[in-house]
Amino acid sequence: MMNDLLQAKATLREQMRTRRAGPPASSQWPDAWCDPLKRSDIWQHAQAVLFFAPLPDEPNIWPLLDVALAEKRVCALPGYVSHLKGYMARRVVDPASDLVIGKFGIRECADHCPEIPLNHLDLLLVPGVAFDAQGHRLGRGKGFYDRLLVRVRGIKCGVAFDEQIVSAVPVGPHDARLDCILTPTRWIKT
């Protein structure tokens, strides 16, 4: 049964790679979703936000990080901790001096950035490979975000291109569920 789940996830990842081979159809990114998110109650009430450092095939959320810093919100990024073999949230104040290239080639906060307890985060912006309307998310396969997401109380918001929304994502008992998903054209509450 577990092998079937792993195979279904691998198949969907491959389908998404093929689907996303070219530039995203959502050419208005990030403006198409930044404004709706900034106007939302979720954003208005979020004093502490966990961002992600977008990879080239992920939505560029950096403009929103600048907005949040200007609004004096507590901003954080996941930071890999070797001895835990997982991620923690670390505060970013100045992206120019606080960010380094981490273990997996992804920008993250440097060791001098203080840890933020996960239960202090109000909003988590979450990347993924695929999402469905039930709040399920397919990540890149290592389980790092799922282990992080199960430990937080804040609103978990997937951030995706429209092409990443599928009818169903295969899920197992350790897969965390999202509260909402934002695309350039849709706000999906799960």
Side-chain angles (χ1 to χ4, degrees):
M1 177 127 157
M2 187 57 116
N3 286 337
D4 292 341
L5 176 62
L6 293 175
Q7 182 57 48
K9 287 182 175 188
T11 299
L12 182 55
R13 281 188 192 96
E14 184 58 35
Q15 290 170 349
M16 296 308 293
R17 264 192 289 278
T18 302
R19 185 184 290 187
R20 298 285 319 281
S26 313
S27 61
Q28 297 176 2
W29 200 269
D31 297 337
W33 67 270
C34 280
D35 288 338
L37 181 58
K38 288 188 291 188
R39 287 192 305 269
S40 73
D41 286 342
I42 292 170
W43 181 262
Q44 296 302 317
H45 293 100
Q47 292 305 306
V49 182
L50 181 73
F51 290 84
F52 62 89
L55 295 172
D57 64 342
E58 293 175 335
N60 179 12
I61 65 167
W62 280 134
L64 197 55
L65 175 63
D66 293 336
V67 169
L69 288 168
E71 293 173 346
K72 307 292 187 217
R73 296 176 197 268
V74 173
C75 298
L77 284 170
Y80 189 77
V81 182
S82 298
H83 71 276
L84 298 176
K85 295 184 180 165
Y87 284 85
M88 70 165 62
R90 290 184 186 239
R91 186 167 186 176
V92 58
V93 176
D94 178 7
S97 63
D98 290 346
L99 300 182
V100 297
I101 301 300
K103 177 176 175 61
F104 299 104
I106 301 169
R107 291 172 289 187
E108 60 183 59
C109 288
D111 289 341
H112 71 266
C113 298
E115 179 181 359
I116 297 178
L118 294 174
N119 62 354
H120 290 189
L121 297 168
D122 303 311
L123 174 62
L124 293 87
L125 301 176
V126 183
V129 173
F131 302 84
D132 67 25
Q134 292 75 44
H136 301 127
R137 168 192 167 273
L138 178 68
R140 294 188 182 264
K142 301 286 188 196
F144 291 127
Y145 261 94
D146 288 310
R147 288 191 295 276
L148 185 83
L149 293 173
V150 296
R151 300 184 347 236
V152 298
R153 292 184 296 187
I155 294 171
K156 302 167 197 88
C157 180
V159 183
F161 295 107
D162 289 301
E163 305 84 65
Q164 292 177 271
I165 306 300
V166 298
S167 59
V169 169
V171 294
H174 301 293
D175 293 319
R177 194 167 170 269
L178 303 173
D179 300 301
C180 54
I181 301 162
L182 183 60
T183 78
T185 63
R186 295 190 272 177
W187 184 274
I188 303 168
K189 294 189 179 185
T190 63

